[in-house]
Amino acid sequence: MVSARVARFTIGTQISVPFNPARAEHLKRRSQVFIHTSGDTYLRHGFSTIVQKGQLIPQDFSELVSYGQSYSEKPETLNDFCVDLLVWEGEGNTKWITDVNGNRLPRIRDLCSIEADLTPTIAGFKQLTSKHGVKSWECAFAIRCIFNGTKLQARVEWEVEDKTYQGPIRVIPASVLK
């Protein structure tokens, strides 16, 4: 009986990184800058590690990946959330999924897509005002990735008034998406 496995590669997801013009790496990537709903400046194509290559993964290991969505108007439905899990097959760590020109790194590949209907999370939306005076509707939720043997499972989790809720997710292997 196998009680744990060792990760053969790094698994992560794409993130947006707060833009810092004092960092040379960020200046090289300035073509990937965008203005967030909050008015803050971010860079596209960051990489956030969920499971590190070489990490011991016990049976039924899970990792909670936090997300936030921001909207200028409070939505009525959110049935089209999708995030891709990616694999980094290179050595060491990577902070990015693309080079400075926006081309995907050759050692990054798609693992799967995770789709969820986030409509139930609307009850937990909060209206916020950013430091720039921009009003937006914000939602915080998480995807729990469950590594059970060789099969990845997942579910969405969110809170409303200090109560945690869970909902289903579809995990679609990259081989099906091609």
Side-chain angles (χ1 to χ4, degrees):
M1 182 168 133
V2 176
S3 61
R5 296 180 183 274
V6 175
R8 296 179 313 199
F9 38 73
T10 297
I11 299 172
T13 188
Q14 180 175 309
I15 60 168
S16 298
V17 177
F19 178 67
N20 181 347
R23 297 186 67 193
E25 177 70 16
H26 287 210
L27 287 176
K28 291 178 192 173
R29 295 175 177 276
R30 67 179 160 262
S31 66
Q32 300 169 35
V33 166
F34 71 97
I35 306 298
H36 186 269
T37 308
S38 66
D40 293 326
T41 308
Y42 283 84
L43 285 169
R44 291 181 170 85
H45 310 302
F47 183 82
S48 177
T49 298
I50 299 171
V51 173
Q52 183 70 42
K53 178 179 179 179
Q55 179 179 338
L56 188 63
I57 303 172
Q59 192 71 17
D60 292 331
F61 170 79
S62 71
E63 189 69 27
L64 200 60
V65 183
S66 297
Y67 290 92
Q69 297 283 83
S70 181
Y71 301 89
S72 54
E73 300 288 328
K74 189 174 183 180
E76 293 181 19
T77 63
L78 289 173
N79 54 5
D80 61 354
F81 175 78
C82 181
V83 64
D84 295 327
L85 290 188
L86 305 168
V87 169
W88 167 246
E89 295 178 307
E91 293 302 315
N93 298 320
T94 184
K95 293 180 182 177
W96 307 98
I97 66 167
T98 64
D99 63 21
V100 294
N101 299 314
N103 301 307
R104 188 179 252 200
L105 296 175
R107 302 298 297 195
I108 290 279
R109 69 175 170 85
D110 294 320
L111 178 64
C112 65
S113 287
I114 295 176
E115 296 178 350
D117 180 356
L118 297 179
T119 301
T121 68
I122 293 174
F125 270 51
K126 294 181 174 115
Q127 189 172 34
L128 302 175
T129 303
S130 75
K131 64 184 177 190
H132 306 287
V134 177
K135 292 186 185 233
S136 63
W137 289 92
E138 305 277 332
C139 171
F141 62 96
I143 304 295
R144 180 166 302 278
C145 297
I146 305 160
F147 299 89
N148 188 1
T150 59
K151 184 177 180 182
L152 173 67
Q153 299 171 328
R155 66 178 175 253
V156 63
E157 297 180 4
W158 69 97
E159 288 186 6
V160 177
E161 298 178 7
D162 296 326
K163 184 172 180 185
T164 301
Y165 295 88
Q166 298 178 352
I169 284 184
R170 290 186 341 155
V171 178
I172 305 166
S175 60
V176 173
L177 298 171
K178 292 182 180 184

